[in-house]
Amino acid sequence: MTTKQFDGKTAFVTGAGSGIGRATALAFAREGANVMATGHTASTIQETVRLIEAEGGRAQAAVCDVSQEADVIAAIEKTIDAFGGLDFAFNNAGIEQPNIPLADLPVDVWDQQIAVNLRGVFLCMKYQIPHILKQGGGAIVNTSSGAGVKGFPASGGYAASKHGVIGLTKTAALDYASAKIRINAVCPGIIETPMMDRFSGGTPEGREAVIAQEPVGRMGKPEEIASTVIWLCSEGAAFAVGGAFVVDGGQTA
Ligand code: NAD
């Protein structure tokens, strides 16, 4: 039997039922990790588990709304019960914001952006870190965005939440670097996922408009973010701590 770099390790993935999260859950499993696929829709995370098992990998699903503390605690406990520990986390669940200039942005839309995109990452790290410490270290990757490193018009809630993810990532990285937990953020550009379909409207014109922001002339694939996350969790990234890794086809260059 061939050995794989993450044999015996366990990865926790949020938003694992689609897009970047599903691609990364599959990528962790291909590297030998046990995967806890979490998301707020049971059917989609169960499908991710099915896809992993069809390739001979090991995975379980946990329904978890990342903005809810009790859900996060329960999903992490389920991971420990199922696999005996936690080594890696990809805190990736997120929601898009309709394009609305700031003064017109409804307060409940703002609150929801912060609740899922920022509070969700905080809650996940808060309850993951004690378990990763027990393993003697590990790695966490949080999903920010191009909107985490520059402003985008009419995206106040989303951009604030994604800038916040980077601040949280850097601070947590400093808190736990000496304990051998490496914490980084990934900042995707325009990636072909259900979120981008909703955002662009999925029409040829909508797709062209978002592709026009990409110097490479195409959208990225979810697998192109997954490969970055796998690298950030690998020994090859042993000196990568507190970084915000932009993977965006040059969109923000
Ligand atoms: P997606 O919509 O396919 O994935 C988001 C996932 O998060 C979904 O599976 C959804 O069920 C889950 N989710 C939403 N709210 C949740 C909640 N409260 N609790 C738990 N899970 C929840 O889109 P995606 O493009 O794969 O997005 C993944 C991440 O990448 C998001 O954080 C998004 O902001 C970020 N991102 C995406 C792009 C892009 O172009 N697609 C660019 C930059 C950043």
Side-chain angles (χ1 to χ4, degrees):
M1 206 172 86
T2 51
T3 57
K4 297 177 179 171
Q5 65 171 335
F6 296 157
D7 278 344
K9 306 279 189 190
T10 296
F12 183 98
V13 179
T14 72
S18 59
I20 294 168
R22 174 176 284 169
T24 307
L26 278 154
F28 270 121
R30 286 177 192 137
E31 297 298 337
N34 308 311
V35 174
M36 182 56 75
T38 79
H40 68 336
T41 318
S43 57
T44 61
I45 53 177
Q46 282 158 2
E47 174 61 8
T48 299
V49 169
R50 194 194 65 73
L51 291 169
I52 289 173
E53 289 177 343
E55 294 185 1
R58 282 172 311 280
Q60 288 196 24
V63 175
C64 169
D65 177 338
V66 292
S67 67
Q68 301 300 315
E69 185 178 13
D71 279 18
V72 171
I73 292 171
I76 293 170
E77 287 307 322
K78 183 172 179 178
T79 309
I80 306 306
D81 290 348
F83 301 123
L86 181 64
D87 305 278
F88 306 129
F90 180 39
N91 298 319
N92 160 78
I95 50 173
E96 71 275 21
Q97 184 211 294
N99 273 332
I100 303 175
L102 198 70
D104 298 324
L105 189 65
V107 173
D108 64 332
V109 173
W110 164 272
D111 286 345
Q112 192 62 12
Q113 287 291 310
I114 301 300
V116 177
N117 296 352
L118 185 55
R119 174 182 156 95
V121 173
F122 160 67
L123 288 174
C124 285
M125 287 205 289
K126 175 174 172 57
Y127 292 106
Q128 291 158 351
I129 285 169
H131 292 290
I132 302 177
L133 287 172
K134 282 188 198 153
Q135 302 290 91
I140 298 175
V141 181
N142 299 318
T143 302
S144 176
S145 170
V149 296
K150 73 179 278 296
F152 281 85
S155 301
Y158 187 77
S161 70
K162 293 299 188 178
H163 275 71
V165 167
I166 293 179
L168 193 58
T169 298
K170 287 179 181 293
T171 301
L174 295 175
D175 286 346
Y176 295 99
S178 64
K180 298 190 168 39
I181 306 181
R182 293 184 305 96
I183 306 178
N184 290 286
V186 65
C187 306
I190 290 171
I191 311 298
E192 191 148 21
T193 68
M195 178 185 285
M196 188 45 68
D197 267 356
R198 292 189 297 272
F199 185 76
S200 70
T203 60
E205 305 74 48
R207 288 171 59 86
E208 256 173 52
V210 292
I211 289 171
Q213 295 180 32
E214 282 291 1
V216 293
R218 66 170 177 89
M219 294 194 211
K221 301 183 185 70
E223 292 74 18
E224 290 174 309
I225 304 303
S227 58
T228 303
V229 177
I230 296 302
W231 174 72
L232 282 169
C233 291
S234 75
E235 277 305 306
F239 209 54
V241 173
F245 290 82
V246 173
V247 183
D248 75 347
Q251 184 192 19
T252 59

